Amino acid sequence: MAENKHKLLEVKGLTMDFGGLRAVDSVSLDVHEGEIAALIGPNGAGKTTFFNCVTGIYNPTRGDILLHPKEQKTRRLNGLKPNKVTEMGLARTFQNIRLFQGMTVLENVMIGRHCRTKAGIFHAILRGKTFREEEQQIVESSYQLLEKVGLGDSANEFAKNLPYGAQRRLEIARAMATDPLLLLLDEPAAGMNPQETSALDQLIVKISTEEKIAILLIEHDMKLVMNISDPVYVMEYGKKIAEGSPQQIKDNPKVIEAYLGEEADA
Amino acid sequence: MWQEFKQSIVVSIWFVFLTFPLMVVRVNTMEDLVEWRWMNIAWVAIASFLLSYLWRYMLARKQVRKKVEEEGGDTRSKLQIMLENESLRFKAMGVLLVAALVYPQIFDTYQTTIMISALIYVVLGLGLNINVGLAGMLDLGYVAFFGIGAYTFGILNHHFDVGFWMMLPVGGMVGCLFGVILGFPILRLRGDYLAIVTLGFGMILKVVLENWGSLTFGPSGIANIDKPGLFGLDLSLANHTIYIYYIMIALVVFTIIVTNRLKNSRVGRAWMALREDEVACIAMGIDMARTKLSAYALGAFWAGMIGVVFASKTTFINPASFTFMESAIILSIVVLGGMGSILGVILGAFILILLPEYMRAFSEYRMLIFGASMTLMMIFRPQGLISGLRQTYLYKGAKEEIDNG
Ligand SMILES: Nc1ncnc2c1ncn2[C@@H]1O[C@H](COP(=O)(O)OP(=O)(O)O)[C@@H](O)[C@H]1O
Ligand SMILES: [Mg+2]
């Protein structure tokens, strides 16, 4: 976490109440350019709710979500609709896979290009030159993304027919198609076997280094993130209980307790 | 198979047993005789066996298909595979078009009239297909836009003598406009709620048409609406029918081209994404309000436009033509044909509109057959006759693939 790095996402005192339940309790968190930050914590800690607030699915009760795109003015994301947030440069995947099951793999990624392209109804009907060029460009760039996540061969399959691990990678490709500054991944390794998980780790590192996309990663399992992410934020019962380098987190007594407590419960 | 055979035998024996007193024994009170009609029992046995066997066979087939699909196998029927072959599809369409063009030369005015109403429903089905099949918005009040189009033409024609050709696009626009207006309140609704509210729209329209006498002439409707003009020529009834038939063919072709282009575009993909998963759709940067409104308004466009043709064809409209039954039939066309599939919808329209016409003998049982076949369809083939074709795209890496296969 070098100090000279550009701060991309800044979340200050984010709080989310569901009726009487405070699912997220004044959590602050920064993601810098080029980082793979991780948000970990036991089940029900409020990690997904945090994501939903940042990406506009929920409107947070309190707090500020600020995006600082490089060389542009800062934008406050609170209260924006999810599609606006995506346009600003935040893209996400879902913990419980939410692909467009009845569409092909390629079409799923093409949907991601939607907010970066323009063709409207009349273009679609008239099929002029600009329309055809844009359409072809959507296809090509989507296909390249599929190759990047290793799904080039399945481009014309229905998304629902993909194996589980591939569906998770497709979600990542779809999110990347929106040209994000920051990619938010919600438990991307959930349900994967060890080989798939290590391939996924490599993919995430590749996205970070080659595509220059900052990443905020939710993981339930602490061990997985330790290799690839820095810094690590830990949540429990809606509160942020620790932050720091993987080593600092490993040695933090509060974190150990949170995870031990969970194991004792299970 | 053997299993099903055995079960069907059991069912048939059971039915024989159940219906025995009714079908076999008849007491003739006049002569104090008991008649034993043994032949009847054989019919019951055979019929119940066949029905039960067919039922089980279809269910088993569906099960197999589901299993193959779960294992990632290919479940497309031969027809489906043929249809996905583009050049074959074009050839088939060419043949159909030629057949459609010579149709009124071969058949008489009566047949042509029936065909016109089938074509009207093709366009209505294709329009509703945008809402229901592509964008996944269940609309039970689609007939409202049909009625609005027809009445717009009827009223303007009655008072201001505005002609058919002028009104054809205007009817579409007015439908579209009402689509946007009615679309706003339903933006937040989905599923059953959406269905109920749109059902309400259809009902409201009918009530308005019946009661706003000064504008719509109430239940007595508007008569003497102009037929489409052809350079001021005076056409005989037969020729006029043929003329309208050709207009309809042109409109159907137009509708197919436009809806197909919409479907395979950025807008159409957004509709489908909305149908598949609303949350994921907005999280991918798609503006839900705009996408829903555009689908609703474009669906309404076709209904409004074809309402003008309808009014012009019948030269008389009244509120009775725009009941919930119409909405239900149009929706059935989409569901039976296959949601999201243009070819399926065309097929569905022909089946649902033409079959009842040619089976007048059964007209009393029309609704019964209708309901039963829809129910059976939902049990055995919920995706419709032809499910939406998978769209494949050409990209650099795929060129060789296509050349090889
Ligand atoms: N829409 C909601 N309404 C009410 N409670 C919710 C909602 N979403 C999440 N919660 C609650 O918020 C808490 C945090 O959940 P979540 O963010 O999914 O945890 P995590 O992703 O860390 O496992 C849980 O107690 C959950 O029941
Ligand atoms: Mg979660």
Side-chain angles (χ1 to χ4, degrees), chain A residues 1-6 32:
Chain A
M1 217 186 357
E3 291 309 315
N4 56 4
K5 263 192 201 158
H6 174 79
H32 296 80

Side-chain angles (χ1 to χ4, degrees), chain A residues 86 102 117 119 125 127 135, chain B residues 261 264 266 269 276 283 390:
Chain A
T86 308
T117 44
I125 295 173
R127 307 239 142 182
E135 195 76 358
Chain B
R261 286 184 164 193
N264 298 325
R266 177 174 169 271
R269 285 190 298 270
E276 297 289 323
R390 166 165 48 178

Side-chain angles (χ1 to χ4, degrees), chain B residues 372-388:
Chain B
S373 51
M374 286 312 282
T375 313
L376 290 177
M377 196 71 192
M378 283 305 99
I379 295 174
F380 295 118
R381 214 180 150 79
Q383 75 273 38
L385 294 174
I386 302 176
S387 48

Side-chain angles (χ1 to χ4, degrees), chain B residues 138-150:
Chain B
L138 185 54
D139 185 349
L140 293 182
Y142 190 63
V143 75
F145 303 118
F146 186 44
I148 286 170

Side-chain angles (χ1 to χ4, degrees), chain A residues 18 21 23 42-49 58 95:
Chain A
F18 292 113
L21 176 84
N43 259 327
K47 307 179 297 289
T48 299
T49 308
Y58 298 148
Q95 179 175 352

Side-chain angles (χ1 to χ4, degrees), chain B residues 16 20 23-25 35-45:
Chain B
V16 167
F20 184 81
M23 302 296 287
V24 179
V25 187
E35 278 178 47
W36 300 87
R37 295 171 299 170
W38 293 110
M39 226 16 230
N40 280 355
I41 209 73
W43 289 125
V44 169

